[in-house]
Amino acid sequence: MTEAAMDNEILWQASPEQKQASAIWRFAETTRSLHGVEPGDYHGLHRWSIDAPDQFHEALWDFLDIVGDRGETGFVAGDGLRSGQFYPGARVNYAENLLRCRDDGVAIIAYRDDGTRRDVSWADLYRMVSRADQALRAVGVVEGDRVAAIVTNDIEAIVAYLATSAIGAIWSSCSPDFGPTAASDRLCQVAPKVLIAVAEYCYAGKVIDVSASIRAISTEAELDAIVLIADEVPNWLADLGAVTWDDWMSTYQPQTIAFNRMPFTAPMVILFSSGTTGKPKCIIHSGAGLLIQHKKELVLHCDLQRDERFFYFTTCGWMMWNWQVSGLAVGATLVTYDGNPFFPDVERLVDLIDYEKISVFGTSAKYIDHCLKSGVVPRRTHRLETLRMILSTGSPLIPSSFDYIYRDWMSDLHLASISGGTDICACFLGGNVLLPVRRGELQCALLGMEVDILDEHGKPILGAPGELVCRNAHLSMPIGFWGDEDGSRYTAAYFERFPGLWAHGDFVEKRPQGGYIIHGRSDTTLNPGGVRIGTAEIYRQVETIDAIEEALAVGQDIDGDQRVILFVKLREGALLDEAMETTIRNRIRMGASPRHVPARIIAIDAIPRTRSGKISEVAVRDTIHGRPVRNTAALANPEALALYVGLPQLRN
């Protein structure tokens, strides 16, 4: 079989019985009088979701059984993509929809890589959120206030998140592996009233102190309370007036939660961009938008069902954490994991599938590739009796990884590569049970998302890579950026490249059969292991080293993933030896995060700059990949690019 034929190969498709038992089939049948297409015709259903947004969103609310007041209509069009209004008369609360179940069934099962396992019932989860809600209100948190968090993926993080939502306050979190600068650059921008943080966390058997980040935020932000998820307040943080999580909630007894139902556009979450050109942008999302968008994706595109066990490997600094938590709205049991996914051995997460009877297993393309290279063959070592779906996101899932899953995991399995981003805290592209899984492809654009691929002139293209855009308003499109009063930064981020359209920054190819292939980022954001990070955060650390005059960071595509390459121009007399490399890596690891640490550090004599004085990351990135540099006329020193051609350090 030729490579082209292999890339078009169907690796899996659902049986007629599986299709007819799915939620998306039932949704299509329920709405047939509105669109007139057969339940198995996904493309017809998708077309209706685009052409009749008012009908689609009214039907979506009802089918998903959203708790709240829907209002008279699901969508009112405006004079452009940004002026359309979803559910203009609605009143809804995110947490209320996630806490509907209050029985003794298991809501969350939480693991840490040190072997700790805890679980909490639906009834106890409600009680915990009730107490946290009261504790937040007692320190003065009201609608619109910000609650910041440096937390691990554990039960307390979810409780605090839901309590914040119940009030109508705004949640913003990062994971504890972000250093003090990276953490404060994010959380302090939003002027939080309360900080909830772990005092330390474990990773691969090591205990890591978080006090420097806590102190950095407490110094810059005017906090009314610092709550530590710890057995006791460490002596070195005692001067901050912090209290432990248990002490903070000790005086409150569970009671009925007074959920604050708010308009569709009321903010609930602030997520952060990668910080490519400065401090990370603070992206504001509405609770109603996330609730309905996530539930649409989980129910219709993943067929997630009540009481199924749902796992996604993520941290609280990634939008997939918010996405997984929304699984509670379906009535699914969340299985969370904090720490190194390969500790104490490479099969750690595969073990969880069997032990916890996981049905939907979410991970990254990098994880799948690591399992492949480590020789993990679960079909020989594990039962996998409950597993029916694997979700992969973060970076493109390459064809050989598709082969690996179907060869060494299971042949009868729905493998869905999904793609969206922090910007929408959701997906543009993903899977559904009505369509076949083709090797190396994402199955479809999701319902309600009018995705298109454009060339550099803004013309639609098929069968060749181009810019991913969205032509219509979508449920979880951000409200805006925090502090961007006139909306100019929001406009520049998504709407200037192709006026009137959302330009996402992904380089994507639409296949003739309707699937998609993602070729990477089209901007300068780095994306190692599927985690978007910004070059500015690296530069802020490197520039504190006296021996370095200037630096440039780019992502190099290799083996289906991306690695960070750091070029440094040294001051006269300085040498990039082993000691210097260690200093650079440690500075970046401590000041930013382990994910920012470059795979290769290369000394270079010149760094190309534009005529306006900006370093040209795009020109270097294209050069090391052997691609033509589009606009060398914009460079003040285009001759510098010759230094980046054929570097031996980039060959392996």
Side-chain angles (χ1 to χ4, degrees):
M1 185 179 292
T2 65
E3 187 66 25
M6 289 178 64
D7 286 344
N8 191 39
E9 181 184 1
I10 293 177
L11 300 177
W12 178 86
Q13 50 189 334
S15 68
E17 294 76 18
Q18 287 173 311
K19 293 179 182 180
Q20 292 168 20
S22 68
I24 195 168
W25 184 284
R26 295 196 306 275
F27 177 69
E29 280 196 317
T30 301
T31 56
R32 190 191 294 218
S33 64
L34 300 174
H35 51 67
V37 303
E38 293 299 315
D41 179 5
Y42 177 75
H43 297 297
L45 187 67
H46 181 266
R47 188 70 258 165
W48 167 68
S49 76
I50 299 303
D51 291 343
D54 52 344
Q55 291 182 353
F56 170 69
H57 288 96
E58 288 166 18
L60 188 66
W61 177 294
D62 294 341
F63 185 82
L64 297 177
D65 194 22
I66 302 299
V67 177
D69 303 313
R70 192 190 73 183
E72 294 183 359
T73 184
F75 182 77
V76 175
D79 57 5
L81 184 154
R82 296 176 62 184
S83 57
Q85 298 178 61
F86 291 99
Y87 308 105
R91 307 287 295 191
V92 66
N93 183 275
Y94 177 87
E96 184 178 10
N97 279 267
L98 273 65
L99 293 170
R100 297 171 69 180
C101 182
R102 301 177 194 176
D103 60 28
D104 292 330
V106 180
I108 304 170
I109 301 168
Y111 277 88
R112 299 172 187 157
D113 73 4
D114 63 2
T116 302
R117 180 194 186 276
R118 299 187 298 156
D119 61 48
V120 61
S121 70
W122 289 100
D124 284 339
L125 177 62
Y126 185 93
R127 295 183 188 108
M128 292 172 72
V129 173
S130 171
R131 296 174 66 208
D133 168 88
Q134 295 173 66
L136 284 170
R137 293 177 189 273
V139 295
V141 174
V142 298
E143 179 180 323
D145 283 341
R146 278 75 60 206
V147 175
I150 307 175
V151 283
T152 57
N153 185 11
D154 217 328
I155 293 170
E156 288 79 8
I158 296 173
V159 168
Y161 180 48
L162 296 181
T164 301
S165 165
I167 294 170
I170 304 170
W171 172 271
S172 193
S173 65
C174 64
S175 57
D177 61 344
F178 278 77
T181 302
S184 61
D185 278 355
R186 286 163 170 77
L187 300 178
C188 290
Q189 283 193 74
V190 304
K193 178 171 282 189
V194 174
L195 174 66
I196 298 173
V198 294
E200 61 187 22
Y201 69 101
C202 295
Y203 192 87
K206 298 179 180 178
V207 178
I208 302 169
D209 182 25
V210 187
S211 59
S213 294
I214 295 169
R215 190 169 290 281
I217 293 167
S218 68
T219 299
E220 188 172 341
E222 296 182 5
L223 298 169
D224 290 346
I226 299 175
V227 182
L228 299 181
I229 303 172
D231 293 334
E232 59 184 12
V233 177
N235 292 334
W236 51 91
L237 292 176
D239 62 304
L240 300 182
V243 297
T244 67
W245 173 269
D246 287 342
D247 287 346
W248 183 55
M249 297 203 301
S250 62
T251 60
Y252 304 103
Q253 297 301 313
Q255 62 184 29
T256 301
I257 302 171
F259 295 106
N260 181 12
R261 292 185 179 179
M262 297 179 295
F264 181 89
T265 55
M268 186 192 77
V269 176
I270 295 175
L271 301 178
F272 300 99
S273 71
S274 53
T276 302
T277 56
K279 286 188 176 182
K281 296 185 287 291
C282 307
I283 305 170
I284 309 170
H285 288 287
S286 78
L290 294 190
L291 170 69
I292 303 171
Q293 184 82 298
H294 290 175
K295 202 169 182 183
K296 175 195 75 176
E297 295 174 358
L298 292 167
V299 172
L300 299 183
H301 288 275
C302 300
D303 204 32
L304 186 66
Q305 300 169 28
R306 180 179 175 84
D307 296 328
E308 281 196 311
R309 295 198 168 180
F310 173 38
F311 173 89
Y312 218 106
F313 179 71
T314 180
T315 71
C316 297
W318 190 20
M319 53 123 325
M320 294 308 297
W321 181 76
N322 307 79
W323 195 81
Q324 188 201 11
V325 171
S326 293
L328 294 172
V330 183
T333 297
L334 305 187
V335 182
T336 67
Y337 185 88
D338 188 75
N340 186 327
F342 303 110
F343 183 82
D345 60 66
V346 71
E347 295 183 340
R348 182 71 177 103
L349 298 188
V350 187
D351 292 341
L352 291 187
I353 297 173
D354 277 356
Y355 190 78
E356 297 298 347
K357 297 180 172 55
I358 292 169
S359 297
V360 179
F361 179 84
T363 187
S364 66
K366 185 174 183 180
Y367 171 85
I368 293 172
D369 183 63
H370 186 91
C371 287
L372 169 61
K373 292 177 178 177
S374 300
V376 176
V377 184
R379 68 177 179 83
R380 294 178 182 170
T381 56
H382 293 73
R383 298 185 306 276
L384 306 182
E385 292 172 339
T386 58
L387 184 65
R388 63 170 181 81
M389 187 177 205
I390 291 179
L391 299 167
S392 172
T393 193
S395 58
L397 191 63
I398 59 177
S400 60
S401 292
F402 278 76
D403 298 338
Y404 165 63
I405 291 295
Y406 284 107
R407 182 187 66 240
D408 293 342
W409 285 59
M410 293 175 64
S411 59
D412 186 13
L413 175 82
H414 187 181
L415 173 61
S417 180
I418 63 177
S419 181
T422 300
D423 317 80
I424 63 168
C425 195
C427 303
F428 283 115
L429 307 171
N432 79 75
V433 74
L434 302 180
L435 297 175
V437 174
R438 297 181 185 272
R439 185 174 186 264
E441 294 186 12
L442 292 80
Q443 289 175 277
C444 62
L446 302 195
L447 293 175
M449 313 296 271
E450 189 177 7
V451 170
D452 205 352
I453 309 301
L454 307 182
D455 65 16
E456 59 185 5
H457 305 294
K459 303 296 184 183
I461 54 175
L462 179 67
E467 293 279 347
L468 184 148
V469 301
C470 191
R471 294 185 174 276
N472 68 336
H474 36 281
L475 284 163
S476 61
M477 198 165 66
I479 299 169
F481 295 161
W482 190 265
D484 180 28
E485 302 300 334
D486 63 0
S488 58
R489 288 199 298 149
Y490 182 39
T491 299
Y494 307 114
F495 301 103
E496 283 188 351
R497 177 73 194 278
F498 302 104
L501 305 180
W502 174 287
H504 196 59
D506 278 345
F507 204 47
V508 179
E509 175 184 351
K510 184 175 182 180
R511 305 293 293 156
Q513 299 81 12
Y516 294 83
I517 298 173
I518 296 182
H519 293 274
R521 295 293 300 170
S522 62
D523 55 17
T524 59
T525 302
L526 305 175
N527 199 33
V531 179
R532 294 182 65 192
I533 61 176
T535 55
E537 295 180 288
I538 295 176
Y539 301 151
R540 280 199 290 273
Q541 304 307 318
V542 173
E543 288 170 0
T544 64
I545 300 173
D546 291 338
I548 297 176
E549 185 174 315
E550 58 183 352
L552 181 147
V554 296
Q556 182 191 16
D557 298 329
I558 186 167
D559 295 331
D561 199 359
Q562 189 181 91
R563 62 182 181 183
V564 178
I565 308 298
L566 179 66
F567 296 98
V568 293
K569 182 181 178 183
L570 300 173
R571 298 189 186 279
E572 187 174 353
L575 178 66
L576 184 64
D577 54 14
E578 185 176 346
M580 174 63 71
E581 285 205 29
T582 299
T583 297
I584 294 170
R585 294 180 195 279
N586 287 341
R587 191 69 55 87
I588 294 171
R589 180 180 290 107
M590 296 301 295
S593 85
R595 295 183 180 87
H596 293 74
V597 176
R600 298 284 187 275
I601 303 175
I602 301 171
I604 206 81
D605 290 334
I607 289 178
R609 291 183 173 272
T610 65
R611 296 185 183 278
S612 61
K614 296 180 180 178
I615 62 174
S616 184
E617 297 158 330
V618 172
V620 170
R621 184 191 63 191
D622 287 343
T623 298
I624 68 171
H625 286 98
R627 299 193 290 258
V629 178
R630 294 182 181 179
N631 191 12
T632 56
L635 299 178
N637 57 337
E639 68 280 0
L641 292 177
L643 300 172
Y644 297 82
V645 176
L647 292 171
Q649 299 97 319
L650 301 181
R651 293 174 187 164
N652 52 56

